[in-house]
PDB file of all heavy atoms in Angstrom:
ATOM      1  N   ASN A   1      95.303  67.427 119.971  1.00 85.00           N
ATOM      2  CA  ASN A   1      93.864  67.468 119.738  1.00 85.00           C
ATOM      3  C   ASN A   1      93.215  68.363 120.784  1.00 85.00           C
ATOM      4  O   ASN A   1      93.525  68.275 121.968  1.00 85.00           O
ATOM      5  CB  ASN A   1      93.256  66.059 119.837  1.00 85.00           C
ATOM      6  CG  ASN A   1      93.779  65.155 118.749  1.00 85.00           C
ATOM      7  OD1 ASN A   1      93.957  65.586 117.620  1.00 85.00           O
ATOM      8  ND2 ASN A   1      94.042  63.910 119.087  1.00 85.00           N
ATOM      9  N   ASN A   2      92.300  69.216 120.334  1.00 86.00           N
ATOM     10  CA  ASN A   2      91.548  70.111 121.226  1.00 86.00           C
ATOM     11  C   ASN A   2      92.456  70.934 122.139  1.00 86.00           C
ATOM     12  O   ASN A   2      92.191  71.089 123.331  1.00 86.00           O
ATOM     13  CB  ASN A   2      90.554  69.306 122.067  1.00 86.00           C
ATOM     14  CG  ASN A   2      89.558  68.576 121.202  1.00 86.00           C
ATOM     15  OD1 ASN A   2      89.084  69.139 120.221  1.00 86.00           O
ATOM     16  ND2 ASN A   2      89.261  67.346 121.544  1.00 86.00           N
ATOM     17  N   ILE A   3      93.514  71.485 121.567  1.00 87.00           N
ATOM     18  CA  ILE A   3      94.424  72.330 122.334  1.00 87.00           C
ATOM     19  C   ILE A   3      93.749  73.674 122.578  1.00 87.00           C
ATOM     20  O   ILE A   3      93.105  74.228 121.689  1.00 87.00           O
ATOM     21  CB  ILE A   3      95.749  72.541 121.579  1.00 87.00           C
ATOM     22  CG1 ILE A   3      96.487  71.220 121.428  1.00 87.00           C
ATOM     23  CG2 ILE A   3      96.627  73.551 122.278  1.00 87.00           C
ATOM     24  CD1 ILE A   3      97.742  71.310 120.604  1.00 87.00           C
ATOM     25  N   SER A   4      93.885  74.213 123.776  1.00 88.00           N
ATOM     26  CA  SER A   4      93.362  75.551 124.061  1.00 88.00           C
ATOM     27  C   SER A   4      94.499  76.402 124.618  1.00 88.00           C
ATOM     28  O   SER A   4      95.388  75.911 125.315  1.00 88.00           O
ATOM     29  CB  SER A   4      92.197  75.484 125.044  1.00 88.00           C
ATOM     30  OG  SER A   4      92.619  74.927 126.265  1.00 88.00           O
ATOM     31  N   PHE A   5      94.448  77.675 124.306  1.00 87.00           N
ATOM     32  CA  PHE A   5      95.470  78.613 124.735  1.00 87.00           C
ATOM     33  C   PHE A   5      94.851  79.595 125.715  1.00 87.00           C
ATOM     34  O   PHE A   5      93.735  80.053 125.520  1.00 87.00           O
ATOM     35  CB  PHE A   5      96.052  79.360 123.532  1.00 87.00           C
ATOM     36  CG  PHE A   5      96.568  78.435 122.472  1.00 87.00           C
ATOM     37  CD1 PHE A   5      95.850  78.214 121.313  1.00 87.00           C
ATOM     38  CD2 PHE A   5      97.765  77.778 122.639  1.00 87.00           C
ATOM     39  CE1 PHE A   5      96.321  77.352 120.339  1.00 87.00           C
ATOM     40  CE2 PHE A   5      98.244  76.917 121.667  1.00 87.00           C
ATOM     41  CZ  PHE A   5      97.523  76.705 120.527  1.00 87.00           C
ATOM     42  N   VAL A   6      95.575  79.929 126.765  1.00 89.00           N
ATOM     43  CA  VAL A   6      95.062  80.840 127.784  1.00 89.00           C
ATOM     44  C   VAL A   6      96.072  81.943 128.054  1.00 89.00           C
ATOM     45  O   VAL A   6      97.251  81.822 127.720  1.00 89.00           O
ATOM     46  CB  VAL A   6      94.751  80.095 129.113  1.00 89.00           C
ATOM     47  CG1 VAL A   6      93.631  79.102 128.907  1.00 89.00           C
ATOM     48  CG2 VAL A   6      95.981  79.401 129.653  1.00 89.00           C
ATOM     49  N   GLY A   7      95.591  83.009 128.676  1.00 88.00           N
ATOM     50  CA  GLY A   7      96.462  84.117 129.034  1.00 88.00           C
ATOM     51  C   GLY A   7      97.089  84.771 127.822  1.00 88.00           C
ATOM     52  O   GLY A   7      96.466  84.881 126.768  1.00 88.00           O
ATOM     53  N   ASP A   8      98.338  85.202 127.961  1.00 87.00           N
ATOM     54  CA  ASP A   8      99.000  85.885 126.853  1.00 87.00           C
ATOM     55  C   ASP A   8      99.518  84.923 125.791  1.00 87.00           C
ATOM     56  O   ASP A   8     100.050  85.353 124.773  1.00 87.00           O
ATOM     57  CB  ASP A   8     100.125  86.784 127.367  1.00 87.00           C
ATOM     58  CG  ASP A   8     101.330  86.017 127.867  1.00 87.00           C
ATOM     59  OD1 ASP A   8     101.175  84.831 128.209  1.00 87.00           O
ATOM     60  OD2 ASP A   8     102.424  86.598 127.914  1.00 87.00           O
ATOM     61  N   THR A   9      99.330  83.621 126.008  1.00 85.00           N
ATOM     62  CA  THR A   9      99.733  82.641 124.993  1.00 85.00           C
ATOM     63  C   THR A   9      98.973  82.874 123.686  1.00 85.00           C
ATOM     64  O   THR A   9      99.505  82.667 122.604  1.00 85.00           O
ATOM     65  CB  THR A   9      99.485  81.212 125.495  1.00 85.00           C
ATOM     66  OG1 THR A   9     100.144  81.046 126.737  1.00 85.00           O
ATOM     67  CG2 THR A   9     100.011  80.185 124.511  1.00 85.00           C
ATOM     68  N   CYS A  10      97.726  83.344 123.789  1.00 84.00           N
ATOM     69  CA  CYS A  10      96.900  83.565 122.594  1.00 84.00           C
ATOM     70  C   CYS A  10      97.566  84.499 121.594  1.00 84.00           C
ATOM     71  O   CYS A  10      97.435  84.309 120.395  1.00 84.00           O
ATOM     72  CB  CYS A  10      95.541  84.129 122.989  1.00 84.00           C
ATOM     73  SG  CYS A  10      94.570  82.996 123.980  1.00 84.00           S
ATOM     74  N   ARG A  11      98.281  85.493 122.095  1.00 84.00           N
ATOM     75  CA  ARG A  11      98.901  86.436 121.162  1.00 84.00           C
ATOM     76  C   ARG A  11     100.267  85.966 120.676  1.00 84.00           C
ATOM     77  O   ARG A  11     100.892  86.602 119.839  1.00 84.00           O
ATOM     78  CB  ARG A  11      99.003  87.824 121.796  1.00 84.00           C
ATOM     79  CG  ARG A  11      99.946  87.923 122.951  1.00 84.00           C
ATOM     80  CD  ARG A  11      99.902  89.343 123.546  1.00 84.00           C
ATOM     81  NE  ARG A  11     100.792  89.447 124.673  1.00 84.00           N
ATOM     82  CZ  ARG A  11     102.072  89.805 124.586  1.00 84.00           C
ATOM     83  NH1 ARG A  11     102.595  90.093 123.419  1.00 84.00           N
ATOM     84  NH2 ARG A  11     102.820  89.878 125.668  1.00 84.00           N
ATOM     85  N   ARG A  12     100.745  84.855 121.195  1.00 84.00           N
ATOM     86  CA  ARG A  12     102.056  84.341 120.813  1.00 84.00           C
ATOM     87  C   ARG A  12     101.974  83.082 119.953  1.00 84.00           C
ATOM     88  O   ARG A  12     102.979  82.481 119.634  1.00 84.00           O
ATOM     89  CB  ARG A  12     102.865  84.016 122.068  1.00 84.00           C
ATOM     90  CG  ARG A  12     103.104  85.200 122.966  1.00 84.00           C
ATOM     91  CD  ARG A  12     103.696  84.757 124.277  1.00 84.00           C
ATOM     92  NE  ARG A  12     103.793  85.834 125.218  1.00 84.00           N
ATOM     93  CZ  ARG A  12     104.896  86.522 125.456  1.00 84.00           C
ATOM     94  NH1 ARG A  12     106.002  86.233 124.820  1.00 84.00           N
ATOM     95  NH2 ARG A  12     104.903  87.496 126.340  1.00 84.00           N
ATOM     96  N   VAL A  13     100.751  82.685 119.599  1.00 88.00           N
ATOM     97  CA  VAL A  13     100.537  81.419 118.900  1.00 88.00           C
ATOM     98  C   VAL A  13      99.874  81.677 117.559  1.00 88.00           C
ATOM     99  O   VAL A  13      99.003  82.541 117.436  1.00 88.00           O
ATOM    100  CB  VAL A  13      99.644  80.493 119.764  1.00 88.00           C
ATOM    101  CG1 VAL A  13      99.219  79.268 118.998  1.00 88.00           C
ATOM    102  CG2 VAL A  13     100.362  80.105 121.030  1.00 88.00           C
ATOM    103  N   LEU A  14     100.284  80.935 116.563  1.00 86.00           N
ATOM    104  CA  LEU A  14      99.639  80.973 115.255  1.00 86.00           C
ATOM    105  C   LEU A  14      99.115  79.576 114.974  1.00 86.00           C
ATOM    106  O   LEU A  14      99.831  78.724 114.449  1.00 86.00           O
ATOM    107  CB  LEU A  14     100.627  81.408 114.174  1.00 86.00           C
ATOM    108  CG  LEU A  14     100.073  81.462 112.759  1.00 86.00           C
ATOM    109  CD1 LEU A  14      98.957  82.480 112.665  1.00 86.00           C
ATOM    110  CD2 LEU A  14     101.177  81.789 111.790  1.00 86.00           C
ATOM    111  N   PRO A  15      97.861  79.299 115.347  1.00 86.00           N
ATOM    112  CA  PRO A  15      97.330  77.959 115.115  1.00 86.00           C
ATOM    113  C   PRO A  15      97.024  77.733 113.638  1.00 86.00           C
ATOM    114  O   PRO A  15      96.538  78.627 112.954  1.00 86.00           O
ATOM    115  CB  PRO A  15      96.044  77.925 115.947  1.00 86.00           C
ATOM    116  CG  PRO A  15      95.681  79.345 116.171  1.00 86.00           C
ATOM    117  CD  PRO A  15      96.921  80.163 116.033  1.00 86.00           C
ATOM    118  N   ILE A  16      97.359  76.555 113.147  1.00 87.00           N
ATOM    119  CA  ILE A  16      97.056  76.197 111.758  1.00 87.00           C
ATOM    120  C   ILE A  16      96.504  74.784 111.721  1.00 87.00           C
ATOM    121  O   ILE A  16      96.685  74.002 112.636  1.00 87.00           O
ATOM    122  CB  ILE A  16      98.307  76.284 110.843  1.00 87.00           C
ATOM    123  CG1 ILE A  16      99.372  75.291 111.321  1.00 87.00           C
ATOM    124  CG2 ILE A  16      98.851  77.695 110.806  1.00 87.00           C
ATOM    125  CD1 ILE A  16     100.519  75.138 110.353  1.00 87.00           C
ATOM    126  N   ARG A  17      95.789  74.476 110.662  1.00 84.00           N
ATOM    127  CA  ARG A  17      95.291  73.125 110.442  1.00 84.00           C
ATOM    128  C   ARG A  17      95.864  72.658 109.107  1.00 84.00           C
ATOM    129  O   ARG A  17      95.645  73.275 108.073  1.00 84.00           O
ATOM    130  CB  ARG A  17      93.765  73.127 110.389  1.00 84.00           C
ATOM    131  CG  ARG A  17      93.211  71.798 109.891  1.00 84.00           C
ATOM    132  CD  ARG A  17      91.756  71.706 110.130  1.00 84.00           C
ATOM    133  NE  ARG A  17      91.639  71.351 111.547  1.00 84.00           N
ATOM    134  CZ  ARG A  17      90.516  71.414 112.226  1.00 84.00           C
ATOM    135  NH1 ARG A  17      89.430  71.843 111.661  1.00 84.00           N
ATOM    136  NH2 ARG A  17      90.482  71.051 113.484  1.00 84.00           N
ATOM    137  N   LEU A  18      96.631  71.591 109.157  1.00 84.00           N
ATOM    138  CA  LEU A  18      97.228  71.031 107.942  1.00 84.00           C
ATOM    139  C   LEU A  18      96.388  69.850 107.477  1.00 84.00           C
ATOM    140  O   LEU A  18      96.302  68.835 108.167  1.00 84.00           O
ATOM    141  CB  LEU A  18      98.665  70.565 108.218  1.00 84.00           C
ATOM    142  CG  LEU A  18      99.663  71.648 108.601  1.00 84.00           C
ATOM    143  CD1 LEU A  18     101.010  71.021 108.932  1.00 84.00           C
ATOM    144  CD2 LEU A  18      99.821  72.648 107.493  1.00 84.00           C
ATOM    145  N   ASP A  19      95.777  70.003 106.331  1.00 87.00           N
ATOM    146  CA  ASP A  19      94.978  68.927 105.761  1.00 87.00           C
ATOM    147  C   ASP A  19      95.271  68.863 104.265  1.00 87.00           C
ATOM    148  O   ASP A  19      94.778  69.681 103.492  1.00 87.00           O
ATOM    149  CB  ASP A  19      93.487  69.180 105.987  1.00 87.00           C
ATOM    150  CG  ASP A  19      92.624  68.048 105.460  1.00 87.00           C
ATOM    151  OD1 ASP A  19      93.177  67.046 104.946  1.00 87.00           O
ATOM    152  OD2 ASP A  19      91.397  68.158 105.554  1.00 87.00           O
ATOM    153  N   PRO A  20      96.098  67.916 103.827  1.00 88.00           N
ATOM    154  CA  PRO A  20      96.470  67.852 102.412  1.00 88.00           C
ATOM    155  C   PRO A  20      95.326  67.399 101.508  1.00 88.00           C
ATOM    156  O   PRO A  20      95.414  67.503 100.295  1.00 88.00           O
ATOM    157  CB  PRO A  20      97.605  66.836 102.391  1.00 88.00           C
ATOM    158  CG  PRO A  20      97.394  66.002 103.598  1.00 88.00           C
ATOM    159  CD  PRO A  20      96.749  66.891 104.621  1.00 88.00           C
ATOM    160  N   ARG A  21      94.234  66.866 102.079  1.00 89.00           N
ATOM    161  CA  ARG A  21      93.053  66.410 101.339  1.00 89.00           C
ATOM    162  C   ARG A  21      93.376  65.320 100.318  1.00 89.00           C
ATOM    163  O   ARG A  21      92.726  65.234  99.285  1.00 89.00           O
ATOM    164  CB  ARG A  21      92.360  67.587 100.666  1.00 89.00           C
ATOM    165  CG  ARG A  21      91.831  68.604 101.633  1.00 89.00           C
ATOM    166  CD  ARG A  21      90.952  69.628 100.933  1.00 89.00           C
ATOM    167  NE  ARG A  21      90.618  70.678 101.855  1.00 89.00           N
ATOM    168  CZ  ARG A  21      90.926  71.946 101.675  1.00 89.00           C
ATOM    169  NH1 ARG A  21      91.558  72.330 100.600  1.00 89.00           N
ATOM    170  NH2 ARG A  21      90.587  72.831 102.570  1.00 89.00           N
ATOM    171  N   VAL A  22      94.392  64.556 100.607  1.00 91.00           N
ATOM    172  CA  VAL A  22      94.713  63.402  99.769  1.00 91.00           C
ATOM    173  C   VAL A  22      95.108  62.248 100.679  1.00 91.00           C
ATOM    174  O   VAL A  22      95.540  62.443 101.820  1.00 91.00           O
ATOM    175  CB  VAL A  22      95.864  63.687  98.771  1.00 91.00           C
ATOM    176  CG1 VAL A  22      95.461  64.706  97.732  1.00 91.00           C
ATOM    177  CG2 VAL A  22      97.118  64.125  99.485  1.00 91.00           C
ATOM    178  N   GLU A  23      94.959  61.041 100.163  1.00 93.00           N
ATOM    179  CA  GLU A  23      95.267  59.865 100.965  1.00 93.00           C
ATOM    180  C   GLU A  23      96.764  59.714 101.208  1.00 93.00           C
ATOM    181  O   GLU A  23      97.191  59.276 102.275  1.00 93.00           O
ATOM    182  CB  GLU A  23      94.716  58.620 100.279  1.00 93.00           C
ATOM    183  CG  GLU A  23      94.834  57.367 101.113  1.00 93.00           C
ATOM    184  CD  GLU A  23      94.150  56.179 100.471  1.00 93.00           C
ATOM    185  OE1 GLU A  23      93.254  56.377  99.641  1.00 93.00           O
ATOM    186  OE2 GLU A  23      94.544  55.055 100.807  1.00 93.00           O
ATOM    187  N   ARG A  24      97.571  60.054 100.217  1.00 93.00           N
ATOM    188  CA  ARG A  24      99.030  59.916 100.337  1.00 93.00           C
ATOM    189  C   ARG A  24      99.687  61.278 100.109  1.00 93.00           C
ATOM    190  O   ARG A  24     100.105  61.594  98.988  1.00 93.00           O
ATOM    191  CB  ARG A  24      99.526  58.887  99.338  1.00 93.00           C
ATOM    192  CG  ARG A  24      98.897  57.498  99.598  1.00 93.00           C
ATOM    193  CD  ARG A  24      99.517  56.463  98.739  1.00 93.00           C
ATOM    194  NE  ARG A  24     100.951  56.498  98.918  1.00 93.00           N
ATOM    195  CZ  ARG A  24     101.690  55.469  99.287  1.00 93.00           C
ATOM    196  NH1 ARG A  24     101.109  54.320  99.539  1.00 93.00           N
ATOM    197  NH2 ARG A  24     102.989  55.566  99.406  1.00 93.00           N
ATOM    198  N   PRO A  25      99.794  62.083 101.167  1.00 91.00           N
ATOM    199  CA  PRO A  25     100.308  63.447 100.994  1.00 91.00           C
ATOM    200  C   PRO A  25     101.727  63.512 100.449  1.00 91.00           C
ATOM    201  O   PRO A  25     102.103  64.497  99.822  1.00 91.00           O
ATOM    202  CB  PRO A  25     100.229  64.049 102.404  1.00 91.00           C
ATOM    203  CG  PRO A  25      99.948  62.934 103.328  1.00 91.00           C
ATOM    204  CD  PRO A  25      99.414  61.788 102.530  1.00 91.00           C
ATOM    205  N   GLU A  26     102.518  62.468 100.668  1.00 91.00           N
ATOM    206  CA  GLU A  26     103.891  62.498 100.165  1.00 91.00           C
ATOM    207  C   GLU A  26     103.966  62.449  98.642  1.00 91.00           C
ATOM    208  O   GLU A  26     105.013  62.719  98.050  1.00 91.00           O
ATOM    209  CB  GLU A  26     104.714  61.350 100.769  1.00 91.00           C
ATOM    210  CG  GLU A  26     104.295  59.968 100.338  1.00 91.00           C
ATOM    211  CD  GLU A  26     103.162  59.358 101.156  1.00 91.00           C
ATOM    212  OE1 GLU A  26     102.522  60.065 101.951  1.00 91.00           O
ATOM    213  OE2 GLU A  26     102.908  58.163 100.975  1.00 91.00           O
ATOM    214  N   GLU A  27     102.854  62.123  97.980  1.00 91.00           N
ATOM    215  CA  GLU A  27     102.839  62.049  96.516  1.00 91.00           C
ATOM    216  C   GLU A  27     102.190  63.267  95.867  1.00 91.00           C
ATOM    217  O   GLU A  27     101.950  63.275  94.656  1.00 91.00           O
ATOM    218  CB  GLU A  27     102.108  60.774  96.082  1.00 91.00           C
ATOM    219  CG  GLU A  27     102.842  59.514  96.494  1.00 91.00           C
ATOM    220  CD  GLU A  27     102.092  58.242  96.135  1.00 91.00           C
ATOM    221  OE1 GLU A  27     100.961  58.339  95.612  1.00 91.00           O
ATOM    222  OE2 GLU A  27     102.642  57.159  96.385  1.00 91.00           O
ATOM    223  N   ARG A  28     101.916  64.299  96.651  1.00 90.00           N
ATOM    224  CA  ARG A  28     101.295  65.504  96.098  1.00 90.00           C
ATOM    225  C   ARG A  28     102.197  66.172  95.077  1.00 90.00           C
ATOM    226  O   ARG A  28     103.415  66.075  95.136  1.00 90.00           O
ATOM    227  CB  ARG A  28     101.014  66.525  97.200  1.00 90.00           C
ATOM    228  CG  ARG A  28      99.879  66.173  98.074  1.00 90.00           C
ATOM    229  CD  ARG A  28      99.702  67.225  99.138  1.00 90.00           C
ATOM    230  NE  ARG A  28     100.875  67.200 100.007  1.00 90.00           N
ATOM    231  CZ  ARG A  28     101.097  68.039 100.979  1.00 90.00           C
ATOM    232  NH1 ARG A  28     100.250  68.999 101.227  1.00 90.00           N
ATOM    233  NH2 ARG A  28     102.172  67.942 101.736  1.00 90.00           N
ATOM    234  N   GLU A  29     101.565  66.883  94.153  1.00 89.00           N
ATOM    235  CA  GLU A  29     102.303  67.724  93.212  1.00 89.00           C
ATOM    236  C   GLU A  29     101.930  69.164  93.504  1.00 89.00           C
ATOM    237  O   GLU A  29     100.788  69.469  93.822  1.00 89.00           O
ATOM    238  CB  GLU A  29     101.951  67.346  91.774  1.00 89.00           C
ATOM    239  CG  GLU A  29     102.467  65.966  91.408  1.00 89.00           C
ATOM    240  CD  GLU A  29     102.240  65.634  89.952  1.00 89.00           C
ATOM    241  OE1 GLU A  29     101.899  66.552  89.174  1.00 89.00           O
ATOM    242  OE2 GLU A  29     102.401  64.468  89.596  1.00 89.00           O
TER     243      GLU A  29
END
């Protein structure tokens, strides 16, 4: 939560947000 990247880490990181928008993601189609 609230991770921040500093220095050259910014160019080595691909931040993503995973939100399946369903209550039970294991049952998605």
